């Protein structure tokens, strides 16, 4: 098996034992990136020399006898919203083209300290707003399963990079499903930790009460290892949870669902769901029962209005957060010819620097927050948010985890929903409730839809700080399905 | 009746400091009308007695010790600035001609 096809855990072990060097592993991935990027376009920035230098440092630390963690020397790709002081950070936007942050995000810093080697920065929907990566100012990313399809979004570069074996691990952020949906449609694992379980410091903000950094990997254990490596309390993020990181690696090793109570969310399924998605989901429910889990149907009535509530709350927060792009302190400045006022320069810069989806959401958020509309829109959406959290609380009295399809459909065609915002928003239908309530939720592959042969994701939702349950159930499903398939789902993807 | 008019969108764009072109305004007004119609569904939920949640977790008033810590140097802070003069951000005029 070539280095690029190995798991992160195996690569870490090979590097630790001295069988391969971190430099060799980095070079193998850089070669893969050079070979497939013309087709996939997952990366916005790759700098081989910076990557190899980091790998050399890990090899030197190892040679000096330093005790490094399980992922030391393993390459990683970061979504281009995590600030990196040695690489540009654009958030997929023209307004930040060429910007070099003067500091590292906490996630970036912790992973550097753990010895992970950064391959580059991955593509995304501008400011993480979208479900397809088509809203990037730097071109769309292609799904490795079918290059005419979207890789999901907003973290579509990160999902595609891992699915295309360009990186064994990557980071993403999940505000309404931006890790789980791309993971589902590219046949990999993606986890949204409990809100506040991973630090937002140095993550370019979209909707601060929802944004949650999390891991992508090709298997559940690798995701758990990455999750553990960057999580934990951070004094630099005032919404960071001051509690121990749930023992997710141990849970991924446990992989046992016997006696576990699993709730199927009644509201997610039926009209609007692709038959092949529902077929794989129902098979997985039967599989869980056969493995000794007790399955119940659970109703969460407020989930029906989660999507409209989200599309009021997230744009409201974004309209406020993106006010910082004022053309004064960093980023693009347009029209500063000595005749225009600061305010005119600001408005011209923002009009040229932001793409259509970002503008739509800023205007929508400004509307929802304006006097006269506040109570009907933002205020009412916040009440719905309370009801959704109550639905989760009631459900978790009855069951240990909730499950649903991750997305209503498999990867759609590039261009299909590009100028139909509402159709695009539907991709987040099943993932949004966990963001509004702050719960942990994971997507793991559960098969290919019959209609199009494309990956389907199973979503597993757990209570706040119950992240370990997502990994436990995810690992059990993965183990049983891979035994049935005779390998990973991704091994069935056409070669690039 | 439309949920939002083109004039309202133009007003919101001004408030948001977005100098939108006429065609953009036309396009967004039509799309936002549809989007607002859809998100207005939140009103269908009876929630009069329900307290609002601004946040997922019950965290309030998080403080850190008030101690001096390293921070960015002026050079680092200015490193991404569009224009710099005498170690400061140089900005366009902020007052009108008549001021």
């Amino acid at each position: 098996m070539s280095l690029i096809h190995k798991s992160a855990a195996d690569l870490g072990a090979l590097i630790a034992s001295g069988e391969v060097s971190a430099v060799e592993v980095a070079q193998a991935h850089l070669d893969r990136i050079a070979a497939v990027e013309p087709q996939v376009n997952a990366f916005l920035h790759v700098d081989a020399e910076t990557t190899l230098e980091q790998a050399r440092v890990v090899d030197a630390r190892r040679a000096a006898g330093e005790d490094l963690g399980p992922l030391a020397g393993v390459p990683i790709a970061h979504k281009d919203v995590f600030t990196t002081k040695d690489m540009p950070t654009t958030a997929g936007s023209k307004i930040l083209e060429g910007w070099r942050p003067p500091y590292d995000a906490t996630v970036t810093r912790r992973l550097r300290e753990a010895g992970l080697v950064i391959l580059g920065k991955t593509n995304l929907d501008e400011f993480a707003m979208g479900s397809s990566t088509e809203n990037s100012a730097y071109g769309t990313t292609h799904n490795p399963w079918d290059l005419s399809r979207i890789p999901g979004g907003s973290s579509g570069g990160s999902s595609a990079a891992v699915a295309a074996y360009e990186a064994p691990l990557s980071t993403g952020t999940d505000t309404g499903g931006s890790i789980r949906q791309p993971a589902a449609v590219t046949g990999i694992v993606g986890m949204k930790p409990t809100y506040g379980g991973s630090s937002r410091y140095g993550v370019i903000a979209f909707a601060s009460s929802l944004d949650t950094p999390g891991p992508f990997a090709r298997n559940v254990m690798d995701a758990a290892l990455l999750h553990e490596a960057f999580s934990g309390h951070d004094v630099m993020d005032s919404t960071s949870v001051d509690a121990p990181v749930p023992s997710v690696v141990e849970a991924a090793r446990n992989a046992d669902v016997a006696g576990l109570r699993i709730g199927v969310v009644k509201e997610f399924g039926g009209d609007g769901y692709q038959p092949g998605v529902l077929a794989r989901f129902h098979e997985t429910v039967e599989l869980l029962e056969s493995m000794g889990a007790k399955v119940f149907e659970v109703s969460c009535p407020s989930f029906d209005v989660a999507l409209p509530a989200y599309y009021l709350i997230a744009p409201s927060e974004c309209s406020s957060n993106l006010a910082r792009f004022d053309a004064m302190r960093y980023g693009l400045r347009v029209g500063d010819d000595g005749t225009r006022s600061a305010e005119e320069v600001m408005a011209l810069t923002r009009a040229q620097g932001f793409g259509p989806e970002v503008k739509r959401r800023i205007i929508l958020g400004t509307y929802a927050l304006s006097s006269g509309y506040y109570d009907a829109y933002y205020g009412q959406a916040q009440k719905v948010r309370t009801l959704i959290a109550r639905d989760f609380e009631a459900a978790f009295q009855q069951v240990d985890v909730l499950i649903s399809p991750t997305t209503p459909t498999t990867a759609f065609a590039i261009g299909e929903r590009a100028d139909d915002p509402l159709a695009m928003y539907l991709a987040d239908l099943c993932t949004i409730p966990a963001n509004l309530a702050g719960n942990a939720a994971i997507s793991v592959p559960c098969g290919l839809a019959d209609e199009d042969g494309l990956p389907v994701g199973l979503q597993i939702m757990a209570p706040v700080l119950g992240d370990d349950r997502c990994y436990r159930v995810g690992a059990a499903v993965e183990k049983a399905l891979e035994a049935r398939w005779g390998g990973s789902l991704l091994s069935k993807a056409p070669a690039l | 009746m439309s949920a939002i008019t083109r004039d309202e969108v133009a007003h919101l764009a001004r408030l948001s400091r977005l100098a939108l072109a006429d065609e953009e305004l036309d396009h967004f007004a039509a799309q936002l009308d549809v989007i607002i119609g859809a998100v207005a569904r939140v009103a269908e939920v009876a929630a009069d007695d329900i307290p609002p949640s601004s946040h997922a977790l019950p965290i309030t008033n998080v403080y850190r010790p008030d101690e001096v810590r390293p921070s960015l140097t002026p050079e680092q802070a200015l490193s991404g600035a569009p224009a710099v003069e005498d170690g400061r951000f140089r900005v366009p005029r902020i007052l009108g001609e008549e001021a």
Side-chain angles (χ1 to χ4, degrees):
Chain A
M1 194 193 260
S2 67
L3 289 175
I4 58 165
H5 292 100
K6 291 192 184 300
S7 70
D10 286 351
L11 287 173
L14 285 171
I15 296 166
S17 71
E19 259 179 85
V20 293
S21 67
V23 168
E24 286 171 276
V25 172
Q27 188 61 56
H29 286 91
L30 289 169
D31 292 346
R32 174 68 174 177
I33 288 169
V36 303
E37 266 304 278
Q39 293 162 273
V40 180
N41 193 36
F43 284 87
L44 293 178
H45 179 84
V46 178
D47 170 1
E49 198 33 57
T50 303
T51 299
L52 291 169
E53 181 51 34
Q54 297 171 54
R56 282 192 283 269
V57 169
V58 172
D59 285 336
R61 284 169 71 186
R62 180 87 62 195
E66 248 188 88
D67 187 19
L68 301 172
L71 295 178
V74 176
I76 188 163
H78 287 303
K79 184 179 185 179
D80 205 21
V81 283
F82 292 91
T83 55
T84 41
K85 58 184 177 188
D86 53 356
M87 293 181 182
T89 303
T90 67
S93 181
K94 287 285 178 202
I95 213 161
L96 280 177
E97 189 166 18
W99 182 57
R100 293 219 168 218
Y103 68 108
D104 271 340
T106 295
V107 167
T108 316
R109 180 179 58 75
R110 286 184 177 165
L111 293 179
R112 275 191 214 277
E113 287 165 5
L116 283 93
V117 173
I118 304 173
L119 290 166
K121 306 297 288 292
T122 60
N123 200 12
L124 66 152
D125 287 296
E126 185 176 5
F127 288 105
M129 298 178 199
S131 306
S132 69
T133 329
E134 292 167 290
N135 296 332
S136 168
Y138 304 99
T140 192
T141 297
H142 300 262
N143 190 322
W145 286 79
D146 175 347
L147 296 169
S148 71
R149 308 263 179 163
I150 59 102
S154 64
S155 315
S158 284
S159 64
V162 168
Y165 299 96
E166 295 175 273
L169 299 171
S170 63
T171 53
T173 52
D174 192 313
T175 303
S178 282
I179 291 174
R180 288 161 287 159
Q181 182 258 4
V185 301
T186 56
I188 63 171
V189 177
M191 171 76 182
K192 183 201 92 70
T194 294
Y195 177 83
S198 48
S199 170
R200 291 185 298 106
Y201 179 70
V203 179
I204 296 173
F206 159 19
S208 302
S209 80
L210 305 164
D211 296 345
T212 312
F216 284 101
R218 287 192 292 265
N219 65 68
V220 173
M221 176 54 82
D222 282 0
L225 287 165
L226 181 56
H227 183 132
E228 211 158 272
F230 65 61
S231 298
H233 185 238
D234 179 17
V235 290
M236 300 302 281
D237 174 0
S238 62
T239 58
S240 169
V241 177
D242 194 1
V245 180
S247 40
V248 293
V249 172
E250 195 189 313
R253 212 170 272 136
N254 183 348
D256 178 16
V257 293
L260 210 69
R261 298 167 302 161
I262 295 179
V264 174
V265 179
K266 185 177 154 220
E267 283 72 17
F268 291 154
D271 284 353
Y273 287 74
Q274 193 177 319
V277 169
L278 291 178
R280 294 296 88 80
F281 175 69
H282 293 311
E283 278 170 22
T284 310
V285 173
E286 284 166 22
L287 177 73
L288 283 163
E289 272 185 310
S290 75
M291 292 160 70
K294 293 181 218 144
V295 177
F296 305 87
E297 187 180 75
V298 175
S299 178
C300 298
S302 299
F303 285 14
D304 277 339
V305 281
L307 188 81
Y310 174 84
Y311 278 99
L312 287 164
I313 291 169
S316 294
E317 293 189 22
C318 108
S319 71
S320 166
N321 266 327
L322 269 59
R324 64 168 58 86
F325 297 99
D326 57 7
M328 300 299 138
R329 293 157 300 153
Y330 43 79
L332 186 69
R333 180 184 288 182
V334 173
D336 183 15
D337 59 2
T339 69
R340 292 193 176 90
S341 69
E343 202 174 308
E344 287 166 330
V345 168
M346 212 179 277
L348 280 174
T349 303
R350 289 162 62 83
Q352 281 193 32
F354 292 142
E357 181 63 15
V358 173
K359 291 177 190 171
R360 270 192 295 269
R361 294 203 195 185
I362 289 174
I363 294 171
L364 179 60
T366 306
Y367 175 77
L369 292 172
S370 52
S371 69
Y373 296 111
Y374 182 96
D375 289 342
Y377 292 112
Y378 185 67
Q380 178 74 5
Q382 285 188 309
K383 292 179 174 181
V384 168
R385 190 170 185 176
T386 305
L387 290 172
I388 287 163
R390 288 183 182 176
D391 276 359
F392 270 120
E393 277 166 33
F396 289 127
Q397 304 269 316
Q398 303 167 55
V399 295
D400 300 302
V401 294
L402 288 169
I403 59 171
S404 74
T406 307
T407 58
T409 70
T410 56
F412 45 90
I414 290 170
E416 191 183 313
R417 304 185 189 179
D419 205 34
D420 185 351
L422 270 188
M424 187 71 83
Y425 297 169
L426 284 174
D428 299 333
L429 192 64
C430 309
T431 45
I432 281 171
N435 294 91
L436 291 173
N439 295 48
I442 199 169
S443 179
V444 297
C446 70
L448 301 176
D450 298 321
E451 304 88 2
D452 49 25
L454 291 169
V456 176
L458 168 75
Q459 177 177 228
I460 304 154
M461 295 171 274
V464 165
L465 291 176
D467 304 46
D468 51 323
R469 294 186 199 174
C470 295
Y471 284 98
R472 180 175 161 194
V473 177
V477 168
E478 176 182 77
K479 193 172 156 189
L481 285 174
E482 290 194 353
R484 187 181 283 180
W485 298 329
S488 71
L489 189 69
L490 203 56
S491 67
K492 300 180 190 305
L496 283 170
Chain B
M1 199 191 93
S2 59
I4 191 166
T5 65
R6 189 181 183 282
D7 285 350
E8 280 180 286
V9 174
H11 176 63
L12 292 164
R14 270 194 304 279
L15 291 177
S16 316
R17 304 291 182 265
L18 291 167
L20 298 186
D22 282 348
E23 315 82 73
E24 269 184 305
L25 273 179
D26 293 337
H27 197 57
F28 287 153
Q31 287 180 329
L32 285 164
D33 190 47
V34 175
I35 295 169
I36 290 167
V39 296
R41 276 189 52 219
V42 293
E44 292 168 14
V45 178
D48 283 351
D49 306 331
I50 307 297
S53 302
S54 62
H55 214 264
L57 303 174
I59 302 176
T60 47
N61 296 343
V62 177
Y63 299 107
R64 62 170 173 78
D66 184 18
E67 50 197 32
V68 178
R69 292 184 302 183
S71 61
L72 297 181
T73 63
E75 291 71 28
Q76 286 172 325
L78 291 167
S79 64
V84 175
E85 196 175 304
D86 296 336
R88 292 169 221 165
F89 296 103
R90 194 185 67 73
V91 302
R93 64 181 168 80
I94 54 170
L95 300 173
E97 294 292 355
E98 66 277 18

